[in-house]
Amino acid sequence: MTRAFRAAVAAVAFLGVSVSWTAVEAAQTGKASYYRHGKRTASGERFDPHDYTAAHRSLPFGTRVLVTNLANGKSVIVRINDRGPHIKGRIIDLSFAAARVVDLTSEGIGTVKIVPLHKAEPAAPVTEVVSLR
């Protein structure tokens, strides 16, 4: 595990979010992008670029996911409410707000690690991760 990822898991545990070992084993690493336009998500919700949400091909709607930008160690918790990404080679599409938290907006794409969390956790930035190094 990388130092940034360990710090993210420690911060999530510090915040009271449950991360099981099966969730850590279900972690994926790959490319992420973001989107800021849309009307409805695959779950039927109205798309809100200012909400901490994301699109994933197979995770159930409502699943909370810890997304860590491996380039800078910044993390955010998002809720899966859409399907995608529709571009080959990408594992997750973040809302604009979530992408801004992990600094993906300038590049538009980046390498991330995603870890599914317990479904009841709030979607929010995990800014404490950077301070726990």
Side-chain angles (χ1 to χ4, degrees):
M1 274 195 242
T2 66
R3 174 186 249 177
F5 181 66
R6 274 188 251 135
V9 171
V12 168
F14 175 75
L15 294 172
V17 178
S18 61
V19 179
S20 68
W21 284 114
T22 53
V24 172
E25 291 169 0
Q28 299 175 343
T29 301
K31 296 291 182 187
S33 54
Y34 74 93
Y35 60 118
R36 56 181 359 180
H37 301 291
K39 295 184 182 204
R40 292 266 175 215
T41 64
S43 66
E45 296 176 34
R46 181 180 301 270
F47 175 69
D48 181 357
H50 305 292
D51 201 1
Y52 298 108
T53 58
H56 190 275
R57 287 186 185 93
S58 60
L59 288 173
F61 294 138
T63 301
R64 307 292 184 193
V65 178
L66 174 67
V67 180
T68 303
N69 184 340
L70 296 181
N72 58 25
K74 293 184 179 182
S75 297
V76 66
I77 296 173
V78 297
R79 180 176 50 86
I80 302 298
N81 73 339
D82 205 359
R83 290 293 171 230
H86 300 292
I87 297 176
K88 188 175 180 172
R90 296 186 189 172
I91 61 169
I92 196 165
D93 271 341
L94 302 173
S95 65
F96 179 71
R100 192 171 45 207
V101 170
V102 295
D103 286 338
L104 279 182
T105 54
S106 61
E107 299 287 327
I109 190 168
T111 304
V112 299
K113 177 165 262 188
I114 63 172
V115 179
L117 304 173
H118 189 270
K119 287 179 79 169
E121 305 307 329
V126 184
T127 56
E128 290 82 2
V129 171
V130 177
S131 66
L132 288 177
R133 283 193 190 198

